């Protein structure tokens, strides 16, 4: 085994949604992955409540950092850097992680790396399958995003080929679970019910798959409406809703479109492997169908274990370690949380280096920190 002592030791903090994640990695080796989730507190609202999430992050932050360091068996003073999700995500939730990361970086005198949540979902696979090939084709499917991305260097170059024009894949799972009264979050429970259902029972529509439709964009809102209408009609007729068959048929429609478009993108771009990341990549059927279709097309599939697909701190640490290894500029302490950080910016070098012209969320800017 290679000597890994020279590889960067990085702590990563993730608070973009309802998971307080803190991970520790050495290069591409996972040392700790501590997660505290507030998901149960949101369940009765049927979705993540931003203020509840922010408060839960605040309470969980320091204990989760301490647990991660203990699990990794390292001391904070040995770290080579602190990485944190700077965006995209819920503004108030991001702010808790960014503030904590700044405090630790400042107190310990360590470089700070504000990184992109989406690039982290891709980079995490280095902990599972080693260095990402370059270029990498990635299908990113989470609660907030569904995109096909091509990256030649995960620290500096992420190019979107296509994205959802309406709902994200995970959002569709969550909404259909709500219509079926299965609770929140919807992905895992639909996955479970679908295993006992017939995926061919109901022919639900495959969005944006016509010959004139954009090849790499996704749409799940038509599917969502179609499933909801189908269920309503059954209920109106006083018939029992076959929950397992609906779950399986809905899931099949989502997974069919995702894998079809991802394989097509690989072929069109001449990329011989595909990475799938984000919470929906934990889906059993997506993993199986992707494996099948990739094999048939001669494409190598890389999907991290389910726990590394859903939000976690290790993915942030993985991208931070890559930033250190590639000598990318650290962020300055004026780093802002940016709720709509574009996927094309894997990291945020600092307040002065912001270049994109969309609405920033400057909860903590260098100005109000030092003035
Ligand atoms: O990446 P993630 O943890 O958070 C975001 O960045 O959004 O993704 C959460 C999403 C939720 O919509 C959840 O329902 C979905 O991932 N999800 C799944 C599964 N596990 C989580 N969707 C389908 N099948 C699963 N097994
Ligand atoms: Zn995520």
């Amino acid at each position: 085994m290679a000597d890994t002592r020279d590889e960067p030791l990085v702590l990563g903090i993730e608070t973009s949604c309802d998971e307080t994640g803190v991970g520790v990695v050495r290069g591409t080796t996972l040392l700790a992955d501590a997660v505290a989730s507030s998901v149960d507190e949101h369940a009765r609202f049927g979705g993540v409540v931003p203020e509840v999430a922010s408060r839960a992050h605040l309470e969980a932050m320091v204990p989760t950092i301490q647990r991660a360091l203990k699990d990794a068996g390292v001391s904070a003073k040995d770290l080579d850097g602190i990485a944190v999700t700077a965006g995209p995500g819920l503004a108030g939730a991001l702010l808790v992680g960014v503030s904590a990361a700044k405090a630790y970086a400042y107190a310990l005198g360590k470089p700070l790396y504000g990184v992109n949540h989406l690039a982290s979902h891709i980079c995490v696979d280095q902990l599972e399958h080693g260095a990402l090939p370059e270029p990498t084709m990635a299908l990113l499917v989470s609660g907030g995003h569904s995109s096909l991305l091509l990256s030649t260097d995960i620290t500096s170059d992420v190019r979107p080929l296509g994205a959802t024009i309406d709902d994200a894949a995970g959002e569709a799972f969550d909404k259909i679970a709500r219509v079926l009264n299965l609770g929140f979050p919807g992905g895992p429970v639909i996955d479970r019910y679908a295993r006992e259902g017939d995926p061919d029972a109901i022919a639900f529509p495959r969005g944006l798959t016509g010959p004139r439709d954009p090849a790499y964009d996704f749409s799940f809102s038509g599917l969502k409406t179609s499933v909801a209408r189908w269920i309503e009609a059954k209920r109106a007729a006083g018939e029992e809703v076959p929950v397992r068959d609906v779950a399986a048929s809905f899931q099949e429609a989502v997974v069919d479109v995702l894998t079809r478009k991802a394989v097509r993108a690989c072929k069109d771009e001449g990329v011989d492997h595909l990475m799938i990341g984000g919470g929906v990549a934990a889906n059993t059927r997506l993993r199986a169908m992707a494996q099948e279709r990739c094999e048939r097309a001669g494409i190598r599939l890389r999907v991290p274990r389910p726990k590394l697909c859903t939000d976690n701190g290790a993915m942030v640490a993985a991208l931070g370690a890559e930033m250190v290894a590639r000598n990318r500029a650290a962020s300055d302490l004026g780093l802002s949380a940016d709720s709509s950080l574009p996927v094309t910016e894997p990291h945020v070098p600092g307040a002065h280096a912001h270049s994109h012209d969309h609405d920033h969320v400057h909860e903590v800017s260098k100005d109000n920190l030092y003035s």
Side-chain angles (χ1 to χ4, degrees), residues 16-17 19 117 121 141-145 170-171 173-174 185-188 191 251 278-280 282-284 309-311:
S16 70
C17 193
E19 254 90 43
H117 181 81
H121 267 305
V141 275
S142 71
H145 299 267
E171 205 177 344
F173 272 91
D174 294 336
D191 193 341
Q251 177 177 275
V280 181
N283 184 268
T284 323
C309 291
T310 49
D311 290 349

Side-chain angles (χ1 to χ4, degrees), residues 196-342:
E196 294 163 15
D198 175 5
D200 300 320
I202 312 147
F204 289 129
R206 271 62 171 161
L208 293 188
T209 50
R212 285 168 197 279
D213 289 331
Y216 309 132
D217 284 337
F218 303 103
S219 167
F220 297 108
S221 114
L223 168 65
K224 192 185 66 192
T225 308
S226 165
V227 177
R229 291 235 172 92
W230 194 92
I231 295 169
E232 274 165 29
K234 278 274 163 197
R235 284 181 183 148
E239 292 174 35
E240 199 182 318
V241 177
V243 176
R244 290 171 175 74
D245 285 350
V246 173
S249 300
F250 157 75
Q251 177 177 275
E252 196 72 4
V254 175
V255 167
D256 177 21
V257 176
L258 291 176
T259 53
R260 209 191 297 180
K261 294 202 174 206
V263 167
R264 174 157 175 199
C266 287
K267 284 184 179 165
D268 290 354
E269 296 287 333
V271 176
D272 64 359
H273 62 271
L274 169 69
M275 186 274 156
I276 309 185
V280 181
N283 184 268
T284 323
R285 182 64 184 137
L286 174 58
R287 299 169 81 95
M289 194 187 284
Q291 187 60 49
E292 230 174 85
R293 290 186 171 174
C294 281
E295 253 167 45
R296 214 178 308 142
I299 295 165
R300 200 180 145 227
L301 178 67
R302 295 173 55 128
V303 200
R305 78 195 78 153
K307 191 168 179 242
L308 293 179
C309 291
T310 49
D311 290 349
N312 64 82
M315 68 188 209
V316 178
L319 183 53
E322 199 57 41
M323 296 287 173
V324 177
R326 297 198 187 216
N327 289 317
R328 298 282 169 235
S331 306
D332 63 48
L333 285 175
L335 175 72
S336 300
D338 184 345
S339 64
S340 52
L341 186 67

Side-chain angles (χ1 to χ4, degrees), residues 9-10 26 73-81 108 110:
L9 180 67
V10 173
R26 194 185 289 282
V74 301
S75 158
K77 67 177 186 342
D78 298 328
L79 295 169
D80 295 305
L108 296 163
K110 306 289 182 187

